Every structure is written in C-alpha cells, then in structure tokens.
Amino acid sequence: MGHFKSLSKKKKIQRKIIIFLLEMILILIIIKIIRTNYKINEDKLIYLTYTYLGKAQKKENNEKTIFKETEESTNQRSPTVYIYNTHQTENYLYDKVNSYNLDYNVMFASYILKEYLNDYDIKAIVENESLKNILNENNLTYKDSYKASRILLEQSIINYPTLIYFIDLHRDSSVYEKTTCVIDNKSYAKILFVLGLENKNYLENEKMINSLNERLIKINSCLSRGITKKSGVGVDGVYNQDFSSNAILIEVGGQYNTITEVNNTLEIFAKILVGYIMEG
C-alpha cells in the first residue's frame, strides 16, 4: 500500500514539474515575440509578461504589484514625464504578434512610449492604478473618467514632485484609413492632438500642442491628423488640461491599428517630445 502511495506522490511531483516547465516555455516564447518587435528593457518585459499572464493582479490588501520596485527606482531618478490613460481599456487590433491573446491596449502603448523616452534619458512613469477601481471607490461612472484620472494626476504630483509633463494617451475609434499612414512601405498609426477649449488657460496648452504637431509634420505630414478643439455639449471640454500648461491629450491610431503600427509612431513621437523638452 505504501508503495502505491509513493508512486502516486511521485506522479504528482512529476506533473507539477511538467506544468512549471510548460509555463516557463510559454513565458520565454512571449518574451521572444516582444523582443523581436519592440525595443523594451528587462523591467518592462517582466511587467508585460506577468501582467498578461494574469500574475500581476493587486491583492485584496492593496499590496503593490511586482512593478512597485521599478516605480521606486524611477522615483529616485526624478521622473519628469507622467503618462496615463483616462480610458485604460481602449484596445488595439490583434495582429500577428498576438499569438497568445495579449491585451494590446493604450496602457501597453504607454509603456512603449516610456521605454523610448528612457532611451533618451528622459525619466517617465506610467500610471498603472486601475481607473475602474478609482471610479468605484468614488461612486463615479464611466462618463466621469476624467474626474477619476484627475484624482490620479493630483496624487502623481505628490508622489513625484519633479513631474513637469502630463500625457493622456488614447486611441480613436475611426476607420483604419483615417488613422493610418504608410511611409516607405512601413505603416504608422497617426496622431491626433485634442485641445479642450473649456480650460480657461487653454492657450498655454495649445503652445505645447502646436509645437509637437509642427515637429511631427516636419518629419512627415502623413503622421499627423492635426489638432481637434473640443467644447460644448457632449464633450468634456477640459480633459484635465487645466492641471498644467504641459498637460496634453493624444490619440495614437484607432481601434483597427495594430500595436506594431502604434510602436512605429511612438518611436517618432518620443523623439519629437524629447526635442521639445530639451528646448523648453
């Protein structure tokens, strides 16, 4: 009888080892796919891999995710750029690199932008707090998303007093032809700048937007969808741009763009943003 129990226990151990090895193989495959398509450092690889394998969820006691250590080290380096997503669940189209159903959304795009900025030694952080949680905790609905992201904005400047630039990254819902351009047989997701006219100091924000748009057009006019100015019924009209004269909202591509096209554009956008910052 003891012999059979020993065999059963041995099989269970073998099964656990096999499952563990399969998980490791899956992780290595995902890392290889991401490395092949994007310029991403080890910290981001850890975050993306574990997040999209469902292993970076916050615990009920509100412990920080595995990315906490990276955020703390970023804080020590005095970040100047804060990237966030008022609409965190805006997704991009699945493409050939999405073999494992990774959720390529605007938050993913924010981390890509962060890495490109870091390549230029511009320290950036990405907001990874759940907007859904903020809405629920403050009895807000989805239409109040800008109120929720405002709460995070105000907290960000407390946590990181060195922040100067605030970028709300979205994606549009327009048709593919409207949000995409091709340069030398390479596809890019176009950028649309959004300016809220109900911010009484919107002219200050407009200076930054105009400068970035002009720099983008100078590289190739195809990359820009221009500047849309919003006010009136049915729109927010402020978009938290009253928080800082360096607060902007960009829509990178649309729902039919792939993360590869978004990545191509963000590499360029990071370059022009760095140029603006350096001249500021």
Side-chain angles (χ1 to χ4, degrees):
M1 190 72 176
H3 177 67
F4 287 114
K5 284 184 178 180
S6 177
L7 283 176
S8 177
K9 185 176 181 181
K10 186 176 181 180
K11 286 183 179 179
K12 286 181 179 179
I13 293 173
Q14 288 175 340
R15 190 180 298 115
K16 287 181 179 180
I17 292 173
I18 291 172
I19 292 172
F20 173 76
L21 290 174
L22 288 174
E23 286 183 341
M24 291 305 298
I25 290 172
L26 178 59
I27 289 172
L28 290 172
I29 290 172
I30 293 174
I31 289 174
K32 183 177 180 180
I33 291 171
I34 296 175
R35 273 189 170 141
T36 300
N37 289 275
Y38 313 108
K39 297 177 181 177
I40 296 175
N41 67 18
E42 293 302 320
D43 285 334
K44 187 179 176 191
L45 282 172
I46 292 172
Y47 174 80
L48 295 179
T49 301
Y50 279 84
T51 295
Y52 294 105
L53 284 178
K55 295 182 178 180
Q57 299 299 320
K58 291 190 175 182
K59 297 181 181 179
E60 291 182 2
N61 61 357
N62 291 322
E63 287 182 4
K64 295 296 183 181
T65 64
I66 58 169
F67 212 63
K68 178 180 178 182
E69 182 178 350
T70 303
E71 288 183 340
E72 288 176 347
S73 62
T74 302
N75 187 29
Q76 293 172 2
R77 293 181 292 156
S78 303
T80 55
V81 179
Y82 175 74
I83 310 168
Y84 67 105
N85 313 101
T86 294
H87 298 145
Q88 289 178 335
T89 57
E90 291 179 333
N91 287 338
Y92 291 106
L93 186 72
Y94 281 9
D95 64 4
K96 64 181 181 180
V97 302
N98 205 9
S99 305
Y100 296 93
N101 294 321
L102 301 184
D103 193 11
Y104 291 129
N105 54 27
V106 289
M107 193 172 179
F108 193 106
S110 294
Y111 278 101
I112 293 176
L113 176 57
K114 174 196 168 189
E115 296 307 314
Y116 281 129
L117 290 174
N118 285 349
D119 287 343
Y120 289 101
D121 203 30
I122 297 295
K123 311 310 175 191
I125 57 172
V126 174
E127 180 57 67
N128 63 11
E129 178 64 72
S130 168
L131 261 291
K132 183 178 179 181
N133 288 345
I134 299 298
L135 289 170
N136 291 338
E137 290 169 4
N138 292 274
N139 296 316
L140 300 171
T141 62
Y142 186 78
K143 67 180 179 61
D144 300 312
S145 292
Y146 286 98
K147 292 181 181 178
S149 59
R150 179 62 171 239
I151 293 172
L152 295 177
L153 274 168
E154 292 173 349
Q155 187 60 46
S156 74
I157 203 67
I158 295 172
N159 294 339
Y160 307 99
T162 55
L163 290 174
I164 300 173
Y165 304 95
F166 305 85
I167 301 172
D168 190 3
L169 196 156
H170 295 246
R171 66 107 172 106
D172 199 3
S173 57
S174 297
V175 296
Y176 182 76
E177 291 75 18
K178 191 174 181 179
T179 63
T180 314
C181 78
V182 179
I183 304 171
D184 296 330
N185 296 318
K186 187 174 181 179
S187 292
Y188 296 81
K190 291 187 175 184
I191 291 181
L192 175 67
F193 296 90
V194 178
L195 178 66
L197 296 184
E198 293 179 30
N199 162 25
K200 63 181 181 180
N201 297 315
Y202 78 87
L203 291 175
E204 292 301 312
N205 303 80
E206 189 173 27
K207 290 178 183 177
M208 181 176 178
I209 289 175
N210 283 339
S211 179
L212 292 174
N213 188 47
E214 289 167 4
R215 292 163 191 263
L216 192 61
I217 291 173
K218 190 173 181 180
I219 291 175
N220 195 303
S221 60
C222 174
L223 293 166
S224 174
R225 288 179 59 198
I227 302 168
T228 182
K229 301 178 180 181
K230 300 275 188 138
S231 65
V233 179
V235 299
D236 182 271
V238 178
Y239 306 106
N240 288 321
Q241 291 168 3
D242 59 332
F243 182 76
S244 166
S245 60
N246 293 315
I248 64 171
L249 188 159
I250 58 173
E251 294 189 358
V252 184
Q255 61 184 323
Y256 301 111
N257 284 108
T258 66
I259 197 65
T260 303
E261 292 166 336
V262 171
N263 175 72
N264 294 339
T265 300
L266 290 176
E267 183 174 11
I268 293 174
F269 181 74
K271 181 179 180 180
I272 67 170
L273 180 58
V274 169
Y276 177 85
I277 291 173
M278 292 302 184
E279 292 177 14

